[in-house]
Amino acid sequence: MPKLLYSPASPYSTKVRMTALYAGVPIEDVLVDTNAEPTELIAANPLGKIPTLIMDDGKAIFDSRVITQYLNRVSGNKIFPRNAEKRLEAEQMESIADGLCDVLLAHVYERRFHPEEKVHQPWLDRQWGKAIRVLDHLNTAPPRLGKKIHGGHIALAAALAYASLRFEGKWEKGRSKLKRWQKRFEELHPELAALLPK
């Protein structure tokens, strides 16, 4: 069975774990601490980043979008629509959700890896400004949600859960549509919501 090297707080790991579950592709979750640079992770992915999927033959697949595309292929297109226009919409949703995670993580890492006197506030403000733009954009017209979802929905659910984990009480104000969307996703897909960081 393929092994997924992951961290439970990582929104990219969450996205991949939810995608595999939704696609019905069995994987073994293996918790790793990227700061410790474990041998198994570094041997599989020289960047030392998660998630990394290690196949039975030892071949590694990394970057969460590459993994979701792989899971889509092996599941017979259960993750992304076959229709070209709808697929593009789903892929763009995944991209903007991943971009939101990128700027939120940049914000978190600036504080985590620098002493207080070296934290660069203009950098934090710039990253937060990007996050606000994305959140406002998504709140204007959240994607339609039903029992059948795609990779963009899954990525957005993972991104919003990460925002709630790291920035609870800071991103929600004035974004009631997005908050309702998040709640509705969790109600419709409790098996996936169980994998979201809390």
Side-chain angles (χ1 to χ4, degrees):
M1 176 183 307
K3 293 193 296 189
L4 183 73
L5 308 184
Y6 85 104
S7 167
S10 161
Y12 312 105
S13 294
T14 299
K15 175 182 74 170
V16 167
R17 293 173 72 215
M18 289 194 302
T19 299
L21 181 60
Y22 187 73
V25 178
I27 58 171
E28 176 190 352
D29 294 332
V30 178
L31 186 64
V32 295
D33 174 6
T34 57
N35 293 321
E37 297 188 333
T39 304
E40 185 176 32
L41 176 61
I42 300 302
N45 180 349
L47 292 169
K49 294 173 75 173
I50 53 169
T52 293
L53 186 66
I54 302 175
M55 308 308 292
D56 292 337
D57 64 3
K59 191 179 294 180
I61 303 171
F62 44 87
D63 185 83
S64 65
R65 276 188 249 177
V66 177
I67 298 171
T68 58
Q69 291 296 332
Y70 167 79
L71 293 170
N72 185 60
R73 284 191 301 279
V74 298
S75 69
N77 292 304
K78 289 184 179 174
I79 305 304
F80 291 97
R82 291 177 191 268
N83 174 280
E85 188 175 328
K86 289 184 187 293
R87 184 182 181 114
L88 180 59
E89 288 174 14
E91 289 173 341
Q92 285 185 310
M93 179 59 59
E94 182 183 19
S95 179
I96 199 164
D98 284 356
L100 175 60
C101 294
D102 293 345
V103 299
L104 293 177
L105 275 161
H107 199 285
V108 168
Y109 288 167
E110 178 70 16
R111 290 194 177 282
R112 182 178 294 165
F113 294 112
H114 291 113
E116 189 62 38
E117 67 276 5
K118 299 240 178 172
V119 170
H120 190 61
Q121 190 60 46
W123 173 254
L124 292 177
D125 295 342
R126 182 179 175 122
Q127 300 314 308
W128 189 246
K130 291 177 186 180
I132 295 303
R133 284 197 307 267
V134 170
L135 291 164
D136 288 345
H137 169 77
L138 292 168
N139 188 66
T140 301
R144 290 182 55 143
L145 193 57
K147 279 287 188 190
K148 177 125 175 80
I149 57 173
H150 56 59
H153 294 116
I154 293 170
L156 180 56
L160 293 177
Y162 185 76
S164 295
L165 177 70
R166 299 293 187 216
F167 299 93
E168 186 175 16
K170 296 180 181 171
W171 74 267
E172 302 91 343
K173 188 174 181 183
R175 298 183 186 90
S176 58
K177 289 182 191 174
L178 212 45
K179 280 299 293 173
R180 281 194 304 274
W181 187 94
Q182 183 181 34
K183 185 176 183 213
R184 182 82 174 128
F185 180 93
E186 293 176 13
E187 290 168 353
L188 287 172
H189 303 282
E191 73 290 354
L192 300 181
L195 299 175
L196 295 169
K198 304 284 188 230

